[in-house]
Amino acid sequence: MKKIILIGAGGHARSCIDVIEGLKKFKISYLLEKKITNNLDRFKKVIYNKPNLVKINKKVKIAFVCFGQIKNRTNRQKVFEELKKLKYNFPVIKSNTAYISKNSKILDGTIIMHRSIINSKVSIGYNNIINTGSIIEHDVSIGNHNHIAPGAIINGGAKIGNNCFIGSGSIIRQGIKIKNNSFIQAGKVVLKNQ
C-alpha cells in the first residue's frame, strides 16, 4: 500500500477516510490540521504548516485535501497549490460503489464518493469533491476546486466553473453555465446561467 497524508480531520475527512480505506490502496500516515482536535484519534495528527509538510514529504509523497468548502470556497485551492509546490502527488480517489464511465476524464486530487454516478464524456478538473449520491450526466464539464454536495444532479452539457459550491439536492438544468465562485443553495433548481 502507498503512504498518504490527509489534510483536515473534520466530518468530511471521516467520509473521505471511509472511501480511502475501502479501496485498500493507501495507508494513511498522518492527518494534518491547523489545530489538533480529538477527532479521528486512531491516526497520527500533525499541525499543518510548511516545516511539517517539508519534513513529512521526505517520507510520504502522496497527499489529499479532506475538508469541504461550505464556509470558504478558496481554502481547498490554496492548500492544493501549496502542496503542489512542495512536490506532493495527488491521486484520484474513486469509491468502489460509484459508477464512473470509462469515457470520462477526472484529474488529480478529486474524490468521487459513494454511490455517485459519473456518466459518459464528463470532464472533471483538479481537487474536486463529488459527494455521496451525486449524478453528473453526460458531457458535463466541472472545473477545479469545486464541491458538488450530496445528491446534487448536474444534467447533460452543463458547465461548472472553478471554486463553486453546488448544494445538496440541487438540480442544474442541461446546458446551464455556472460561473466561477458561485454558491448554489441546497435544493435549488437552476434553470438559467448563473
Side-chain angles (χ1 to χ4, degrees):
M1 283 202 262
K2 297 177 182 177
K3 293 180 180 178
I4 190 171
I5 64 167
L6 307 182
I7 314 306
H12 182 66
R14 285 194 292 275
S15 295
C16 291
I17 288 167
D18 189 60
V19 173
I20 291 166
E21 288 183 331
L23 297 175
K24 298 182 178 17
K25 293 180 182 177
F26 301 100
K27 180 185 185 317
I28 299 167
S29 297
Y30 302 97
L31 295 183
L32 283 84
E33 53 186 331
K34 294 280 185 189
K35 184 172 81 174
I36 301 299
T37 66
N38 291 327
N39 288 340
L40 300 164
D41 283 338
R42 65 190 173 104
F43 296 103
K44 183 170 181 178
K45 294 188 196 147
V46 177
I47 294 291
Y48 180 87
N49 59 35
K50 190 166 184 176
N52 284 338
L53 288 170
V54 170
K55 182 178 168 186
I56 290 168
N57 190 243
K58 292 175 182 165
K59 301 181 230 173
V60 182
K61 303 294 183 192
I62 302 171
F64 206 80
V65 181
C66 288
F67 58 87
Q69 64 180 153
I70 294 171
K71 295 177 184 168
N72 184 321
R73 288 189 296 286
T74 60
N75 278 348
R76 283 182 60 83
Q77 179 178 358
K78 287 176 189 170
V79 169
F80 182 82
E81 289 173 354
E82 182 177 12
L83 292 165
K84 271 284 198 205
K85 284 180 189 169
L86 293 171
K87 307 288 190 220
Y88 279 94
N89 297 310
F90 296 85
V92 174
I93 304 289
K94 302 174 185 176
S95 167
N96 290 328
T97 65
Y99 169 78
I100 300 163
S101 169
K102 64 182 179 184
N103 297 311
S104 63
K105 180 180 178 185
I106 303 167
L107 298 181
D108 299 345
T110 292
I111 188 164
I112 311 296
M113 304 295 274
H114 297 309
R115 302 213 182 273
S116 292
I117 297 172
I118 309 297
N119 227 321
S120 186
K121 297 291 186 185
V122 167
S123 173
I124 300 175
Y126 295 102
N127 190 35
N128 287 285
I129 300 166
I130 308 299
N131 221 323
T132 308
S134 297
I135 299 173
I136 314 298
E137 264 304 334
H138 64 88
D139 302 295
V140 165
S141 172
I142 296 175
N144 304 314
H145 318 293
N146 296 293
H147 186 155
I148 311 300
I153 300 172
I154 302 177
N155 283 293
K159 296 190 181 332
I160 310 295
N162 300 316
N163 292 311
C164 295
F165 180 83
I166 309 296
S168 295
S170 58
I171 300 172
I172 311 297
R173 195 190 76 181
Q174 68 275 11
I176 292 295
K177 293 178 181 159
I178 306 292
K179 67 183 178 193
N180 294 344
N181 303 305
S182 292
F183 184 93
I184 306 299
Q185 295 176 332
K188 185 169 183 178
V189 177
V190 179
L191 301 173
K192 297 188 293 191
N193 291 341
Q194 300 285 302

